[in-house]
Amino acid sequence: MHDAGYETAFVGKWHMGVDASPRPGFDHWVGVPGQGKYIDPDLNVDGKSIQAKGYVTDIFNDYAVRFLKSSHAKPFCLCVSHKCVHPDLEQRADGTISDPNAGKFIPAERHKTMYANDKPPRRPNAFQVPNDKPALMRKLDGVPPLSRETATDDETIRNRLRLLMAAEEGIGQILDALKQAGQLDNTMVIFTSDHGYFYGEHCLSVERRLAYEETIRIPLLIRYPPLIKPGTTFDEFILSIDLAPTLLELSAAKQPEKMHGRSFAPLLRGQSYEPRKSILVEYFTDAVFPRVKNMGYQTVRTDRWKYIHYRDLADSDELYDLRSDPYELTNRIQDPSLKPTLAELKAERQRLLAETP
């Protein structure tokens, strides 16, 4: 988009590398090293290191609004990437943690008592100890078996909601700034995320790498009145990797010859659009969460079925009928009546993998 004539800016947590240096393609840059920290964060602003004062979400919001209120000779693309709703984990360049508040949730002072008397809602699969998920039922040294005690507690959920409030206020500030500039209805505003969290489903807490619905389904909200009628919803599969080709098409920018994802601009325009019949969800194991050690998987998700194949764990695969079991409580992998369905999903896994070398 930069090469197509757009003025581009990035504000927030880059988190692909622990340094805060500007990345190619951006005219303006406000970044933090690694995760950054909530209070008085170190920033890199257009190549200059500064020590900011204040709450990081408010600081990011202020920089975003400042950019939107500045004069623009070109169309612009602004990416705002918040640190919330993560715990406070500031990484040094060597990967070590440097902040005394590491691991704590730190809402803005004005939000610290919100929801104090509210009990967070839970999904029907919360506090359900899995008895047919071999990968989760493994005995691992130093890892407690799943139980009510391992599920996310109410106060952690409340704190995550408190953290989000400053970001929500920032969205209002961004929309107000666009309105004041006379650009609100001329600007596509996209709100999305990278993954969900477990709030006690299957007695899980922080192990967000898994393939269950709570973590792989994310928000995608788009406001652009010239193209999208307010209140419109779509049932088609849309993936994070589809955003880039969609924005490149809408901005008339040149697209790379090979690109994961596909533009859903025709869907927004009301034109013919061939929907996906399945999607591939992949995870490659890491050591961040001990419970998910060696739980790298390749998952096929259709409108009805989900097949989870664990690459490094024998006899641990899972199969769910999401139409009758949307909360993934019953693993049907051993159901003899579903052998033809399982064979089809295995073949689909191979097809999807071949599409993404």
Side-chain angles (χ1 to χ4, degrees), residues 14-172:
W14 182 261
H15 204 47
M16 290 185 280
V18 298
D19 65 298
S21 59
R23 265 56 174 188
F26 288 101
D27 296 302
H28 309 286
W29 178 270
V30 180
V32 294
Q35 287 267 9
K37 60 180 181 177
Y38 278 104
I39 308 300
D40 299 342
D42 297 318
L43 300 180
N44 181 305
V45 182
D46 294 335
K48 182 180 179 181
S49 295
I50 68 170
Q51 173 76 58
K53 296 295 182 183
Y55 188 66
V56 68
T57 310
D58 295 339
I59 292 168
F60 290 162
N61 291 335
D62 289 344
Y63 273 104
V65 168
R66 195 180 309 176
F67 173 79
L68 294 173
K69 287 186 174 180
S70 63
S71 60
H72 300 281
K74 306 176 181 178
F76 57 79
C77 174
L78 168 65
C79 302
V80 182
S81 177
H82 280 298
K83 172 180 171 56
C84 66
V85 296
H86 298 84
D88 210 33
L89 296 172
E90 186 188 18
Q91 285 179 291
R92 298 187 182 97
D94 63 2
T96 58
I97 304 299
S98 62
D99 192 282
N101 290 314
K104 296 181 180 178
F105 297 98
I106 306 179
E109 193 66 35
R110 62 189 180 277
H111 300 141
K112 283 187 174 179
T113 60
M114 288 189 72
Y115 313 118
N117 299 317
D118 297 323
K119 190 167 184 61
R122 302 277 187 166
R123 285 162 65 83
N125 51 354
F127 309 121
Q128 300 294 319
V129 179
N131 57 18
D132 58 4
K133 298 173 173 53
L136 285 181
M137 295 159 57
R138 291 176 300 157
K139 294 182 179 179
L140 298 170
D141 291 341
V143 180
L146 291 170
S147 67
R148 281 190 77 97
E149 285 66 41
T150 60
T152 318
D153 62 85
D154 286 355
E155 186 62 8
T156 294
I157 298 174
R158 282 189 286 262
N159 269 325
R160 289 198 188 281
L161 297 176
R162 291 163 181 152
L163 287 170
L164 280 171
M165 285 309 301
E168 183 164 320
E169 291 170 353
I171 292 170

Side-chain angles (χ1 to χ4, degrees), residues 200-265:
E201 296 86 359
H202 313 298
C203 291
L204 292 166
S205 178
V206 299
E207 297 89 358
R208 61 180 181 268
R209 267 80 161 153
L210 303 178
Y212 304 120
E213 293 293 278
E214 290 78 17
T215 55
I216 69 169
R217 298 193 65 168
I218 59 173
L220 177 61
L221 305 174
I222 305 178
R223 185 191 191 278
Y224 188 53
L227 190 62
I228 308 167
K229 182 180 178 182
T232 301
T233 61
F234 298 104
D235 292 328
E236 288 83 355
F237 282 127
I238 299 295
L239 306 182
S240 300
I241 54 174
D242 296 339
L243 278 172
T246 301
L247 292 175
L248 292 177
E249 178 178 340
L250 292 173
S251 61
K254 183 180 179 181
Q255 299 209 27
E257 286 186 15
K258 293 183 179 181
M259 193 174 201
H260 285 181
R262 51 183 292 206
S263 171
F264 57 87

